[in-house]
Amino acid sequence: MNLAIFGGAQRFVKPQSVGAPIVEPDTHKRFLKLQAGVFERNFYTNDGPLLRELEEAVASLHHVRHAVILSNATLAQLLLMEVLGIRSGKVLVSANTFIATAHVCEWVGATPVFADIDCGTLNLLPSEIDRLADRDVKAVVPTHVFGRFADMKEIIAKADRLGIKVVVDASHAFDCTDEEGVYAGGRDVPEFLSFHATKYFSTFEGGAVLTNDVSFVDELRSLRNFGFVGVDDVRALGLNTKMNEVSAAFGLAQIPALERRRERLCAVRDWYLEGLVGIPGLRMHELGGGRNNGRYFALFVEDGFGVSRDALCEVLWKENVLARRYFYPGCHRMAYYADQPQVRGAVLPNTDKALGTVLSLPTSFAGVGDKDGVDAIVEVVKTVHERAEKVEAWWKAWESGGGTR
Ligand code: T4K
């Protein structure tokens, strides 16, 4: 094939995005029906019936007692930290996470300290807790990157020994489990999900806290509604982090589609693996033996492939494949944090190495079938490897020309 960078036709007419929302035709139909009910009832928000039904469905799907649904994962984390009393000191956060995980620590009055990761799983290394722990550390917030669970047993054991709290960013882990089949929220530490448009399960914007621990559930529900208890009694400094009924309708409309959705995405993963494993210099992100929803497919472009990750990424963009480098360059290298005293000079070799090579490819496709989409992307990747020298020369010229998209 002739690559678009050398004047060939783009492989895709429509942009193929890693974050493209997933909605099956049946889901769309169910949503339209459910949202009509919102107008019939004339009840838009504030603990509506669809929200309550969705909370039950999400809790039951994850085999936990409680799902408290909120307006997004960022505020789910914030309220969780508030109810757990994490308002000062240091909080250990994986350097490889979406920036929100770190930002929330600052919003509650704590200081995020970034921990290094495992290069295979991309998750926080439990040994980092020992390395970074001091008397100011109040909590650790691991992230289940791409639905691959962090080593929760180790993390919880270390946190317990140190007497620090654990709050888990399970934003990517809807309908995923660890290697023992335990879902988010099932291990006696609270975990939060994201239902953002880009996620496996979306309510446009949304999030949830999953837990078996009833002790803070009422408080969380009160905090999401300004701190109200009953009609005119405010007992806490709450916020407005409620989910409206139309969002809840979209969530409920997806529940019957999920098993098929997961199968489809896992098939996409298998096709990618079939096409890409064995190409020199490509290493696949390790999902491990737990249940995974298949939303993300990530690989590492290492020595031996012939061109750098960034060059491959740019070639893909030129083909209308909007590959992403999640979560490059790492929270510790984001301008907002890089110069903070607890971050300056921090050495996180695994994070730097992994985030210098990682690349996420689309798993749902616009305007083409899943298999055709995967095949076309695999063909581009193979071609880049086969013509590495020529592509590298193009990349150098493109970069030195100030390369803009
Ligand atoms: N923790 C983790 C580990 C997270 O991944 C996230 C969210 C959070 C916490 C916080 O959760 P929330 O508070 O949002 O519930 C996007 C999302 O904005 C962000 O929510 C998400 N992580 C992150 C992984 O992805 P960007 O900056 O990559 O978004 P953007 O606008 O570049 O979109 C990604 C791609 O998806 C683009 O190619 C466009 C496409 N897209 C996007 C949207 C929103 C669509 O095709 N349709 C859409 O509706 O952050």
Side-chain angles (χ1 to χ4, degrees):
M1 72 170 285
N2 197 10
L3 295 168
I5 55 168
F6 299 134
Q10 278 191 314
R11 294 300 286 158
F12 295 95
V13 178
K14 292 187 179 170
Q16 305 297 330
S17 181
V18 171
I22 308 173
V23 55
E24 303 80 6
D26 277 6
T27 300
H28 192 198
K29 271 194 214 140
R30 273 191 299 272
F31 167 62
L32 293 177
K33 213 165 150 198
L34 281 166
Q35 61 95 29
V38 175
F39 297 100
E40 278 158 24
R41 281 187 295 279
N42 216 17
F43 200 96
Y44 290 0
T45 185
N46 289 9
D47 245 348
L50 297 184
L51 185 273
R52 285 295 172 133
E53 201 181 326
L54 184 62
E55 286 190 328
E56 274 177 28
V58 169
S60 141
L61 204 136
H62 291 88
H63 302 270
V64 293
R65 289 206 192 98
H66 311 282
V68 179
I69 290 184
L70 300 144
S71 51
N72 57 60
T74 306
L75 290 170
Q77 183 187 345
L78 190 138
L79 294 194
L80 247 186
M81 292 181 85
E82 170 65 20
V83 296
L84 296 179
I86 306 164
R87 300 187 193 113
S88 63
K90 297 178 187 167
V91 175
L92 306 183
V93 178
S94 171
N96 180 38
T97 186
F98 191 58
I99 201 65
T101 327
H103 277 357
V104 170
C105 300
E106 291 240 331
W107 274 98
V108 300
T111 302
V113 173
F114 298 111
D116 208 359
I117 59 166
D118 178 273
C119 280
T121 66
L122 292 170
N123 288 331
L124 185 144
L125 267 177
S127 57
E128 285 289 272
I129 299 176
D130 303 319
R131 185 177 73 85
L132 296 166
D134 64 23
R135 56 199 304 183
D136 293 333
V137 171
K138 301 282 190 272
V140 55
V141 186
T143 298
H144 301 322
V145 176
F146 304 147
R148 163 77 196 240
F149 272 53
D151 187 345
M152 291 311 301
K153 272 183 157 173
E154 270 296 296
I155 291 170
I156 292 171
K158 285 179 188 295
D160 283 351
R161 265 201 300 279
L162 292 163
I164 64 175
K165 305 254 166 64
V166 182
V167 171
V168 185
D169 185 339
S171 289
H172 295 182
F174 191 101
D175 199 8
C176 298
T177 72
D178 66 15
E179 310 228 333
E180 292 177 353
V182 180
Y183 286 84
R187 279 209 190 273
D188 289 340
V189 293
E191 312 208 20
F192 58 92
L193 303 168
S194 170
F195 302 162
H196 182 259
T198 55
K199 295 291 183 275
Y200 172 77
F201 176 86
S202 161
T203 53
F204 308 115
E205 292 271 5
V209 170
L210 299 179
T211 182
N212 282 324
D213 182 354
V214 72
S215 68
F216 57 80
V217 165
D218 286 345
E219 196 183 344
L220 212 52
R221 289 212 163 95
S222 164
L223 285 179
R224 79 177 168 190
N225 187 29
F226 311 101
F228 273 102
V229 177
V231 179
D232 44 21
D233 184 8
V234 172
R235 299 197 188 165
L237 184 63
L239 280 167
N240 180 358
T241 68
K242 290 172 269 124
M243 176 178 284
N244 68 68
E245 287 287 281
V246 174
S247 285
F250 188 40
L252 278 173
Q254 288 167 75
I255 301 288
L258 291 179
E259 204 43 51
R260 176 78 195 100
R261 179 181 295 181
R262 199 179 76 88
E263 279 168 21
R264 239 188 65 213
L265 293 175
C266 290
V268 164
R269 176 176 183 80
D270 289 343
W271 292 324
Y272 269 130
L273 291 175
E274 242 167 62
L276 297 174
V277 168
I279 297 180
L282 293 187
R283 179 169 65 85
M284 306 301 138
H285 171 243
E286 293 167 18
L287 282 187
R291 181 180 170 94
N292 191 274
N293 60 34
R295 175 51 164 157
Y296 296 96
F297 180 81
L299 48 75
F300 303 90
V301 184
E302 300 182 328
D303 291 347
F305 182 69
V307 306
S308 67
R309 180 275 311 271
D310 289 353
L312 175 61
C313 185
E314 200 52 48
V315 172
L316 286 165
W317 274 66
K318 295 282 189 277
E319 302 286 351
N320 238 342
V321 180
L322 313 187
R324 294 296 291 257
R325 304 178 293 182
Y326 292 128
F327 289 103
Y328 174 84
C331 296
H332 64 307
R333 296 202 175 274
M334 294 290 187
Y336 179 77
Y337 289 108
D339 258 347
Q340 292 193 357
Q342 83 284 6
V343 179
R344 212 178 303 133
V347 183
L348 303 176
N350 291 359
T351 306
D352 289 339
K353 185 169 171 240
L355 299 190
T357 56
V358 73
L359 195 62
S360 287
L361 300 176
T363 54
S364 57
F365 297 88
V368 292
D370 289 340
K371 180 81 166 76
D372 292 340
V374 172
D375 286 348
I377 292 175
V378 165
E379 197 188 2
V380 172
V381 175
K382 277 186 173 154
T383 308
V384 169
H385 171 65
E386 283 157 14
R387 304 201 192 146
E389 226 170 273
K390 220 177 140 201
V391 172
E392 192 59 23
W394 168 84
W395 169 244
K396 291 265 153 59
W398 188 81
E399 258 195 324
S400 62
T404 47
R405 283 187 181 138

